[in-house]
Amino acid sequence: MNAATRLLRIPTGRAAAIVLALVLIVAAVSLLWTPFDPRTTDAYATWSAPSWPHVLGTDQTGRDIASLLMAGARTTVLVAVGAGLVATIVGVVLASLGALTARPVREAVAVLIDILIAFPVLLIAMMISAVWGGSLWVVVWSVGIGYGVNIARVARIELRRLGHADYVLAARAAGLTPGQVLARHLLPGAAPVFIVQLSWSMAAAVLAEAGLSYLGFGAPVTQPSWGLLLSELQAYIAVHPASVLAPGIAITATVLSLNLLGDALREATDPTLGARRRVAHVPEVVA
């Protein structure tokens, strides 16, 4: 049974995969079609109640909330995938340098990782946005680098552990270069750790983008975003409290699904984890 099959056999993993697949489908469909233009306002349709054709109602400017959510899904997917790619590259490079190089370099990388982790990702993104202006690419790079350091901290330990495995020592004795050992043995062996950490980093990226857009440091006003929509609607929460439910639920469901997917991936890629948990919960029989 491969990891994908084991993942789908886990209830939380299956539910998370369904929700994330739905987000991807909505984002893809929004590239070609939305019920209304998310940037078009209608002064005669402000705060319309959920009904046909505005199934989720409209906002204070008459924009269709369902269309804004569909277009905002594109932003969420872009940030999650973009930040995930940046985090993967940063994590692999730092983890490799911190595990396979000479001792002075390893120690310097370890100190660098500790220093970078000390800076909150959101604070770094806000500082960069204040200088360069609010942009999705600023969010992608700042969040990707910030969480890539977290991946490197965990993966570096795993690479060091795998470096002492018998098959890795045999590969080195056979004359493989450090780069070949890394590509053929260490990275495939540490792939489960990278994948799990990547899933959690993507969840943090989605939440960070929503928070930054909410604070005005993320997506520009011309770019549909769940966080930006939530920021605009919360000003009217006392008058129209139900309007914030849709973007709030979308953000919560996506972040929760990515976190649950990370937990399920950890169990799916480590078949002994479930067995250890079951053994830990077996009540002790008293004679």
Side-chain angles (χ1 to χ4, degrees):
M1 187 185 302
N2 57 29
T5 304
R6 289 195 297 268
L7 173 66
L8 294 178
R9 291 173 65 91
I10 301 171
T12 55
R14 185 166 57 249
I18 292 173
V19 172
L20 295 176
L22 180 61
V23 173
L24 289 173
I25 292 172
V26 170
V29 170
S30 69
L31 292 171
L32 304 174
W33 174 84
T34 55
F36 296 88
D37 187 343
R39 292 183 293 270
T40 299
T41 61
D42 185 356
Y44 297 99
T46 58
W47 296 121
S48 296
S51 60
W52 187 261
H54 302 288
V55 294
L56 293 179
T58 60
D59 64 0
Q60 73 278 9
T61 61
R63 296 177 300 175
D64 182 61
I65 293 180
S67 300
L68 288 169
L69 283 177
M70 291 181 65
R74 299 198 305 262
T75 302
T76 297
V77 172
L78 173 63
V79 170
V81 174
L85 289 175
V86 174
T88 299
I89 294 173
V90 172
V92 169
V93 171
L94 289 180
S96 301
L97 291 176
L100 304 177
T101 53
R103 182 174 180 179
V105 178
R106 294 201 307 266
E107 293 178 351
V109 171
V111 171
L112 176 62
I113 291 174
D114 291 338
I115 293 174
L116 293 177
I117 287 178
F119 292 93
V121 175
L122 289 179
L123 179 60
I124 295 175
M126 291 171 63
M127 293 171 59
I128 296 175
S129 297
V131 176
W132 297 101
S135 170
L136 285 181
W137 295 112
V138 170
V139 175
V140 167
W141 281 101
S142 56
V143 172
I145 293 173
Y147 289 107
V149 175
N150 290 328
I151 293 177
R153 180 179 60 176
V154 177
R156 181 174 65 90
I157 299 174
E158 182 67 10
L159 290 179
R160 292 281 293 169
R161 185 186 69 82
L162 292 174
H164 297 286
D166 292 338
Y167 67 93
V168 174
L169 296 178
R172 289 173 176 168
L176 268 65
T177 64
Q180 291 173 327
V181 172
L182 177 67
R184 296 183 185 181
H185 300 290
L186 294 181
L187 288 182
V193 174
F194 278 109
I195 293 173
V196 172
Q197 291 296 320
L198 176 61
S199 176
W200 291 336
S201 297
M202 292 173 70
V206 172
L207 191 60
E209 185 277 325
L212 289 169
S213 296
Y214 181 88
L215 296 173
F217 292 97
V221 294
T222 57
Q223 177 75 36
S225 166
W226 291 346
L228 188 60
L229 178 62
L230 188 64
S231 175
E232 294 173 347
L233 294 177
Q234 65 87 29
Y236 304 92
I237 192 171
V239 183
H240 300 279
S243 62
V244 301
L245 289 178
I249 291 174
I251 295 170
T252 303
T254 303
V255 174
L256 180 61
S257 297
L258 284 168
N259 278 307
L260 290 177
L261 182 65
D263 289 333
L265 282 170
R266 181 175 59 176
E267 184 171 341
T269 54
D270 185 5
T272 64
L273 182 60
R276 292 199 302 268
R277 287 176 176 174
R278 288 191 294 271
V279 171
H281 287 82
V282 173
E284 183 177 354
V285 178
V286 180

